[in-house]
Amino acid sequence: MRVFRLIVLCFILPVFAKAQNVSITGKVISKETKSPIHSASVFLSNSSFGTSTAIDGTFSLNKIRPGQYTLVITTVGYSDYTQKIQVGDDDVKVLVELEPKTIQLREVVISTTAKADWKRNFEQFKKDFLGVDENAKKCEILNPQVLYFTYHKKLLTLEAESDNFLVIENRGLGYRVKFLLKNFKSDNISGIITYGGERLFEDLPGSASQKKIWQRNRDMAYYGSPMDFYRSLYTDKLTENGFEMRRLTRYPNPARPSDEIIHQKINRYKTIGRGDSANYWVDIANLSKYTMDHLTQTPWYSFELLRKTQQPGIFAITFPNYLYVMYTKKRDETNYKDIYRPLDMPNYEISVVTLYNNPPYALFDKNGIVIDGEPLYEGTWSKSRMSELLPVDYVPSEKR
């Protein structure tokens, strides 16, 4: 008997939230002088809501969907300001005091190969950050000079950051994205890419026919995405929207050491010029992390994984082992070495979700955005990059 399945939620799942006329208004002043700050950039991170403060320091963001957002305010001479804001049915008012920014000079490293190294790092960054799909081919970073790279030879990892907005023009989806990149890390052994920061989406100008193409591409990026999944989960529309969840159990491969050991071996043999030995450990790195997988035949229902929290509009997802998510309305022909697929299963899009909190859970809002306990995605969802990123307030077409 599956004890986990006996837990029942005693609440009614809400209807998917429509756009509402909720506003966030406020005033931005200097913490030292209490005088208003004008022309400061004000936006809700990862959304299309953005504006600038008026001469008296006031601002207004209107027609905001319910959900949890991060209010970001940035301007020259002051430290960036962020604040979590929960949007419900009532307007929100804030008073923000900005602190003067302490100027810090970045250390300059003189190297005869600096330009070559930067160019090589930038090319990897573009591939790992933007993606390699058709939309990625239509993306352009307009100001790459704001990027700083650090490559760790021993760990075979690339890190990046920026002191100013990184501006990306995505002509596949019709967005200009302003990204305050706080951190970026690409691990060449595990294949895991992580990045974080605050971003604002702006619609690119275009003809009516071009906008129709962008709308179609946006819908294609949305349907089957994690945002689509979490929204379908809390509205209890998984099956209707093409999702199926199952429990996955994995058994580690004893022939494959940890990523840390593999890092050490590859770096050591490369350092002493033992190419054959280094290639041997590269082959070890390419082994599957698991020798056996067990996938349940019975699908999970929303009520088995979904939990209500004490905060309105915030939901929790929890499950044992791994969550196996199929999206049956698309196909994915990619061969993922660590993703189990039964021989009789069509090539549906498959994603595996791992939770890291103890006990395992993640929190998400009505926009379908994870706000705490960011999971690890493998499979189809792991391929999502900036080229397919949508604002959190995105509403797709009614027809899939």
Side-chain angles (χ1 to χ4, degrees), residues 97-264:
E97 297 183 339
L98 296 186
E99 295 186 358
K101 187 175 185 179
T102 302
I103 299 176
Q104 294 181 341
L105 297 178
R106 182 178 296 272
E107 180 182 359
V108 177
V109 179
I110 300 176
S111 171
T112 56
T113 59
K115 291 184 178 180
D117 290 344
W118 190 94
K119 184 177 181 180
R120 182 181 66 248
N121 291 335
F122 179 60
E123 291 303 316
Q124 180 182 340
F125 174 82
K126 284 198 301 183
K127 177 175 68 71
D128 294 343
F129 183 67
L130 297 178
V132 293
D133 62 345
E134 288 302 313
N135 284 338
K137 298 176 183 177
K138 301 175 183 177
C139 289
E140 181 182 1
I141 298 176
L142 301 184
N143 57 339
Q145 69 276 6
V146 303
L147 288 167
Y148 298 92
F149 297 112
T150 303
Y151 184 74
H152 302 277
K153 291 184 178 180
K154 291 184 177 181
L155 300 177
L156 300 181
T157 59
L158 175 67
E159 296 182 357
E161 60 179 313
S162 66
D163 291 336
N164 207 336
F165 279 106
L166 183 67
V167 183
I168 304 104
E169 199 166 87
N170 185 342
R171 293 213 152 266
L173 299 183
Y175 290 119
R176 178 179 292 109
V177 185
K178 297 179 178 179
F179 202 142
L180 280 175
L181 186 68
K182 299 299 184 182
N183 59 77
F184 168 89
K185 183 177 180 180
S186 175
D187 189 320
N188 290 327
I189 294 296
S190 67
I192 297 176
I193 299 169
T194 58
Y195 58 86
E198 318 299 346
R199 48 204 168 217
L200 172 65
F201 290 79
E202 299 174 346
D203 286 318
L204 289 175
S207 63
S209 59
Q210 180 62 69
K211 289 180 179 180
K212 286 184 179 180
I213 295 174
W214 286 339
Q215 182 64 50
R216 184 181 69 242
N217 292 344
R218 292 174 183 182
D219 283 351
M220 290 178 61
Y222 172 82
Y223 292 126
S225 67
M227 183 190 296
D228 185 18
F229 169 75
Y230 290 116
R231 290 180 179 181
S232 301
L233 178 64
Y234 92 83
T235 55
D236 199 23
K237 293 183 178 181
L238 288 172
T239 302
E240 175 183 338
N241 290 344
F243 291 102
E244 183 176 310
M245 305 183 299
R246 297 188 189 181
R247 177 176 177 174
L248 176 67
T249 305
R250 288 166 153 178
Y251 301 90
N253 183 357
R256 188 186 188 281
S258 68
D259 287 339
E260 181 179 0
I261 293 177
I262 293 175
H263 275 303
Q264 293 174 352

